[in-house]
Amino acid sequence: MASVEDYGDYETAWCPGCGDFNILKALKAALANLGKSPSEVLMVSGIGQAGKLPQYLNCNFFNGLHGRTLPPATAAKLSNHELTVLAVAGDGDCYGEGGNHLIHAIRRNPDITILVHDNQIYGLTKGQASPTSERGMVSKIQREGVFNNPLNPIALAISQECSFVSRGYAGDVQHLTELLIKAIRHRGLSLVEVLQPCVTFNKLNTFKWYSNRVYKMEDGEYPLDDRVKAFERSLEWGDRIPLGIFYVNERPVLEDNHEVLKEAPLIRHKPQTEKVNGLIDGFM
């Protein structure tokens, strides 16, 4: 039986009070609750403060390029679909540099959980506006305020029929833990968007700002496969910000489309050198 202690306790480089600490705490609790041992888990990340999270967990992890979290996570899942694969990214990493990868991962629907730390700012590079920054927010670069409209990742994911769409808050570890458990259990691409205040560079969207606005949606408010209802809810932002599961869409996952994976994970297949050589010869 796995425990929270199995995932280690490491010194971090995050600022004191950062929302990332609670995300790490919730993730450890979720994995332990699911009985996942560290050897069964692969964390994949790109660059950024969120991208550091796998370095503070005792499990398999791959740290790659900025915005490129989902491609190696998808490749790893296809290589060994018995692994529990989680991709970790920040709002800039996933919705900016990696936005195109997110859209196409939704189309392919691999059985991966994507955990996005959304602090509405680029924290690692010291405070530029990100795709989700509020219009009018003043940053070190946008001295007269952000003039672009913010991206709504929940609405985007629902519009593209993402298999599981949810939003948590770093100020509520218990609720976030419950969301992560459901997201990891779900078979298909699971988006867990986490509102995560940056205590150093975002002076607008603070813990107090969120705590005065967020509320939990009640179970059974609408059928979770109702895309129109989910989309309507995803547009709610301002004085009240909903948390919870917005949309669930049971679809065949990417792994189901490959007959070769039904026999065993690719890593257990014997190399078929002659066939590979034949394919190469065909291009010569």
Side-chain angles (χ1 to χ4, degrees):
M1 179 65 72
S3 68
V4 168
E5 288 71 27
D6 291 336
Y7 285 90
D9 184 14
Y10 300 95
E11 184 178 351
T12 74
W14 291 326
C15 301
C18 175
D20 284 343
F21 287 101
N22 280 349
I23 298 175
L24 179 61
K25 187 184 296 183
L27 182 57
K28 286 181 181 179
L31 292 170
N33 182 283
L34 290 166
K36 300 285 183 186
S37 68
S39 64
E40 297 175 301
V41 176
L42 170 68
M43 305 285 297
V44 182
S45 67
I47 301 297
Q49 298 293 358
K52 295 177 182 175
L53 182 139
Q55 300 171 30
Y56 309 139
L57 277 171
N58 175 37
C59 67
N60 305 297
F61 81 88
F62 177 86
N63 187 217
L65 300 175
H66 201 190
R68 306 295 180 256
T69 307
L70 283 164
T74 304
K77 188 68 183 181
L78 287 173
S79 298
N80 185 359
H81 62 283
E82 292 181 350
L83 274 175
T84 296
V85 179
L86 292 100
V88 184
D91 43 311
D93 194 24
C94 187
Y95 306 143
E97 285 85 351
N100 199 37
H101 293 305
L102 174 64
I103 291 169
H104 293 288
I106 291 172
R107 290 178 52 234
R108 296 180 182 115
N109 199 32
D111 185 17
I112 291 171
T113 299
I114 172 81
L115 175 58
V116 183
H117 304 211
D118 188 355
N119 57 15
Q120 297 163 279
I121 203 83
Y122 281 91
L124 187 68
T125 46
K126 313 306 180 193
Q128 302 96 326
S130 84
T132 54
S133 295
E134 300 272 342
R135 189 177 174 91
M137 187 179 81
V138 175
S139 75
K140 284 188 172 183
I141 303 299
Q142 289 78 20
R143 307 295 295 179
E144 297 182 358
V146 174
F147 54 79
N148 292 322
N149 282 343
L151 178 74
N152 183 333
I154 299 292
L156 172 67
I158 294 168
S159 75
Q160 298 306 304
E161 298 190 84
C162 183
S163 192
F164 182 102
V165 184
S166 66
R167 178 192 283 142
Y169 171 46
D172 189 338
V173 175
Q174 180 60 40
H175 182 252
L176 180 56
T177 302
E178 293 166 7
L179 273 187
L180 285 167
I181 290 171
K182 291 174 182 174
I184 295 168
R185 278 184 176 151
H186 178 80
R187 194 157 185 269
L189 188 73
S190 307
L191 172 66
V192 184
E193 151 90 356
V194 186
L195 303 175
Q196 176 252 316
C198 173
V199 296
T200 301
F201 296 111
N202 187 339
K203 303 302 182 186
L204 174 63
N205 309 108
T206 62
F207 277 104
K208 182 179 180 183
W209 190 91
Y210 278 121
S211 295
N212 288 335
R213 289 167 171 78
V214 295
Y215 73 95
K216 298 170 197 167
M217 293 186 286
E218 299 292 334
D219 291 342
E221 284 191 31
Y222 61 88
L224 289 177
D225 61 353
D226 187 330
R227 190 151 66 117
V228 173
K229 292 285 185 188
F231 191 74
E232 288 174 354
R233 217 52 189 274
S234 75
L235 300 181
E236 190 176 357
W237 182 272
D239 291 339
R240 284 169 59 78
I241 300 172
L243 303 177
I245 301 172
F246 288 77
Y247 183 58
V248 176
N249 176 23
E250 302 287 352
R251 297 165 47 195
V253 302
L254 177 64
E255 300 91 289
D256 291 344
N257 297 320
H258 297 277
E259 285 292 324
V260 69
L261 299 181
K262 292 178 180 174
E263 181 183 337
L266 280 183
I267 58 167
R268 295 202 201 118
H269 287 237
K270 291 182 180 178
Q272 299 185 31
T273 309
E274 289 183 2
K275 282 190 177 179
V276 174
N277 288 340
L279 286 171
I280 293 173
D281 289 342
F283 288 101
M284 299 298 285

